[in-house]
Amino acid sequence: MNSFADVPAMIAACGASSGKVYLVGAGPGDPELLTLRAARLLAQAQAVVYDNLVGPEVLALIHPAAQRIYVGKERSRHTMAQEDINALLVRLAGEGLSVVRLKGGDPFIFGRGGEELQVLAAHGVPFEVVPGITAACGAASYAGIPLTHRDYAQSCLFVTGHLKEGGGEMDWAALARPHQTLAIYMGLSMLPSICVRLVESGLSPCMPAAAIEQGTLPGQRVIAATLSTLAAEVAAAGLRSPCLTVVGEVVRLRDQLAWFDAPAMQPRESNLAFTTGA
Amino acid sequence: MNSFADVPAMIAACGASSGKVYLVGAGPGDPELLTLRAARLLAQAQAVVYDNLVGPEVLALIHPAAQRIYVGKERSRHTMAQEDINALLVRLAGEGLSVVRLKGGDPFIFGRGGEELQVLAAHGVPFEVVPGITAACGAASYAGIPLTHRDYAQSCLFVTGHLKEGGGEMDWAALARPHQTLAIYMGLSMLPSICVRLVESGLSPCMPAAAIEQGTLPGQRVIAATLSTLAAEVAAAGLRSPCLTVVGEVVRLRDQLAWFDAPAMQPRESNLAFTTGA
């Protein structure tokens, strides 16, 4: 961990007497999708505590004199335990610092932001929340897939694909509804079983479904297929986590509405037949 | 409608030969929650077509020389029919203009953005999508209500409260699930019947629920209650549409995590008893 030798000087320089933590969403990847507030706070914060879903273009907006503290968080190998992150935030704020806690996407959508704030509140640390574009909204927008549409989906359900984490099986009956779009976060390793269970739970095997890798970034790749073919398509294309998976009739609209990623990554019927049949 | 007499001069000045439409989310209200990309596009666009969920602070970012075209959209009294909005966008782009189509929140979450893009695509008009912070994420963040939390909600369902619009009854069985947060858009006029139906469909009458008026704006007001008391509380407080309603155990966290709105608007047990019992 960093030393804090320069903290008193920074406090004196800024005239800060009591610290504060800003829980900030970094958005889905494209740094242009940061909010104005997030960009301003990154330029002003004395310390930024961030994890691995935040890309280098966003980190470039941090003030050069600020402490940058990486606290990791890959699945099943947290670089820093959640309890240690909580303690770190309390300590930094207690030292009088203006601290940005930076999380990918939106901190209140599968970000454990609420848990960190509960610890801050218990310690009397002042805080604010700056929402970010959540991964589903970012990736779907750049993939040309409206999450709702009057003709196809009157609701959208955001879920995580971590079947075993957070306690309990997924609520398949809730997931397999008509006229609803499913946005599944981080579901790539579970993708084959999720697709099978959705069909077993009542969705058509022909239901359109897409996986989006590196959504909103220049390397974005989108595989649009169906529940029966998506897992094989994704494996054939070599997509890697984290991915955002979208299930629902709205995925069809990508044929008309794709605007961001290269045409080569827009599968057509012929491509689908080719890669699936191999 | 505005005249377009100055269009040829603007095209010449910008050297533009073919127009383009940027479908841009204006976010939930606070102009600081605009994305960097949205702010840049507003400062550069030659025409901005916006509706009534976009506030004056956001409109202030539009370039003074740009055409501003208000196309309204209040419930049941659309200032301009959707077909006319579609035609307007096609016409402006056909005149070579750089056009921002500005919508409150995120254009792909209950914004009919997909429908407008389908028309543009059919006419060969180039477009891009700039996602925005959707109202649920903005309002919940500023109300201190995490939409997901490992202990309380592993998923979040976004729905509209317009029972009769868009065809079909709401899917009550999908709405009344445990361990799920419901975010209901624009549901104030339907709030009493929605609360009743959710209880009839299996949710506890004691399930925490909150209504948020003017989320993220200085006038934000939050009423946190339960499914059995929310409608009366909201009526007593005189909340007005548009509101965002959140239903789920996560609403309890507001007691610890509220940070934005005035303490007077944070109902405590005693307040609840007083206003409900009247």
Side-chain angles (χ1 to χ4, degrees):
Chain A
M1 199 60 353
N2 297 5
S3 96
F4 297 95
D6 55 344
V7 165
M10 293 180 74
I11 295 173
C14 295
S17 59
S18 80
K20 185 167 184 175
V21 173
Y22 299 86
L23 178 64
V24 175
D30 181 349
E32 283 288 296
L33 297 180
L34 271 179
T35 62
L36 299 175
R37 179 110 178 106
R40 278 192 237 282
L41 286 170
L42 286 177
Q44 294 168 358
Q46 294 166 294
V48 178
V49 177
Y50 66 99
D51 51 39
N52 69 337
L53 287 177
V54 180
E57 303 89 346
V58 171
L59 298 177
L61 298 172
I62 299 173
H63 191 286
Q67 294 183 54
R68 297 167 177 231
I69 306 175
Y70 173 69
V71 294
K73 270 207 192 170
E74 307 202 25
R75 293 243 299 116
S76 71
R77 191 173 60 84
H78 289 199
T79 305
M80 187 181 285
Q82 187 65 52
E83 298 69 28
D84 294 333
I85 296 173
N86 299 342
L88 173 67
L89 295 173
V90 171
R91 187 179 60 173
L92 291 170
E95 289 167 348
L97 297 184
S98 169
V99 181
V100 164
R101 173 65 175 115
L102 188 64
K103 287 171 173 284
D106 181 272
F108 275 180
I109 302 272
F110 309 126
R112 300 180 67 165
E115 294 173 62
E116 294 183 10
L117 292 188
Q118 286 178 278
V119 174
L120 296 178
H123 286 80
V125 174
F127 57 82
E128 291 187 15
V129 183
V130 181
I133 306 277
T134 186
C137 290
S141 290
Y142 278 50
I145 302 173
L147 291 177
T148 69
H149 188 292
R150 282 197 309 165
D151 296 337
Y152 305 108
Q154 283 76 51
S155 65
C156 182
L157 180 62
F158 291 27
V159 296
T160 51
H162 297 168
L163 295 184
K164 295 289 157 47
E165 277 189 31
E169 178 72 353
M170 294 173 84
D171 182 354
W172 295 104
L175 269 57
R177 314 293 302 189
H179 311 302
Q180 165 179 282
T181 303
L182 268 185
I184 308 173
Y185 285 63
M186 309 282 287
L188 202 47
S189 64
M190 306 305 296
L191 187 62
S193 60
I194 286 174
C195 290
V196 167
R197 292 295 297 270
L198 287 174
V199 172
E200 288 174 354
S201 304
L203 291 185
S204 164
C206 301
M207 177 65 77
I212 306 165
E213 176 194 66
Q214 295 196 61
T216 79
L217 290 170
Q220 172 176 305
R221 294 199 296 168
V222 182
I223 300 294
T226 67
L227 280 178
S228 64
T229 61
L230 183 63
E233 297 268 338
V234 162
L239 258 56
R240 299 196 304 182
S241 291
C243 272
L244 193 284
T245 300
V246 182
V247 179
E249 298 286 352
V250 291
V251 170
R252 291 189 204 284
L253 294 167
R254 173 171 161 76
D255 283 345
Q256 302 167 58
L257 303 186
W259 60 272
F260 177 72
D261 41 351
M265 287 308 298
Q266 299 174 28
R268 299 281 171 247
E269 288 309 310
S270 55
N271 288 348
L272 286 175
F274 175 73
T275 51
T276 319
Chain B
M1 195 65 347
N2 297 6
S3 96
F4 298 95
D6 55 346
V7 164
M10 293 181 74
I11 295 173
C14 295
S17 58
S18 81
K20 185 168 184 175
V21 174
Y22 299 86
L23 179 64
V24 175
D30 181 349
E32 283 287 297
L33 297 180
L34 271 179
T35 62
L36 299 175
R37 179 109 179 108
R40 278 192 238 281
L41 287 169
L42 286 177
Q44 295 168 358
Q46 294 165 294
V48 178
V49 177
Y50 66 99
D51 51 39
N52 69 338
L53 287 177
V54 180
E57 304 89 345
V58 171
L59 298 177
L61 298 172
I62 299 173
H63 191 285
Q67 294 182 54
R68 297 167 177 231
I69 305 174
Y70 174 68
V71 294
K73 270 208 193 171
E74 307 202 22
R75 294 244 297 114
S76 70
R77 189 173 61 84
H78 289 200
T79 305
M80 187 181 286
Q82 187 65 52
E83 298 69 27
D84 295 334
I85 297 172
N86 299 342
L88 173 67
L89 295 174
V90 171
R91 187 179 61 172
L92 291 171
E95 289 167 348
L97 297 183
S98 169
V99 181
V100 164
R101 173 66 175 116
L102 189 64
K103 288 172 173 283
D106 181 272
F108 275 0
I109 302 273
F110 308 125
R112 300 178 67 167
E115 293 173 62
E116 294 182 12
L117 292 188
Q118 286 178 279
V119 174
L120 296 178
H123 286 80
V125 175
F127 57 82
E128 291 188 13
V129 184
V130 181
I133 306 279
T134 186
C137 290
S141 289
Y142 278 50
I145 302 173
L147 291 177
T148 69
H149 188 292
R150 283 197 307 164
D151 297 338
Y152 305 108
Q154 282 78 51
S155 64
C156 183
L157 179 62
F158 290 27
V159 295
T160 51
H162 298 169
L163 294 185
K164 295 289 158 48
E165 277 188 31
E169 177 73 351
M170 294 173 83
D171 183 353
W172 297 105
L175 269 57
R177 314 294 301 189
H179 311 302
Q180 166 179 281
T181 303
L182 269 185
I184 309 173
Y185 285 64
M186 308 283 287
L188 202 48
S189 64
M190 305 305 295
L191 187 62
S193 60
I194 286 174
C195 290
V196 167
R197 293 295 298 270
L198 287 174
V199 172
E200 289 174 354
S201 303
L203 291 185
S204 164
C206 301
M207 177 65 78
I212 306 165
E213 176 193 65
Q214 294 196 60
T216 79
L217 290 171
Q220 173 176 304
R221 295 198 296 167
V222 182
I223 299 294
T226 67
L227 279 179
S228 64
T229 61
L230 183 63
E233 298 268 337
V234 163
L239 258 57
R240 299 197 303 185
S241 291
C243 272
L244 192 284
T245 301
V246 182
V247 179
E249 298 286 352
V250 291
V251 170
R252 292 188 202 282
L253 294 168
R254 173 171 161 76
D255 283 345
Q256 302 166 59
L257 303 186
W259 60 272
F260 177 71
D261 41 350
M265 287 308 299
Q266 299 174 30
R268 298 282 171 244
E269 287 309 308
S270 54
N271 289 346
L272 286 175
F274 174 73
T275 51
T276 319

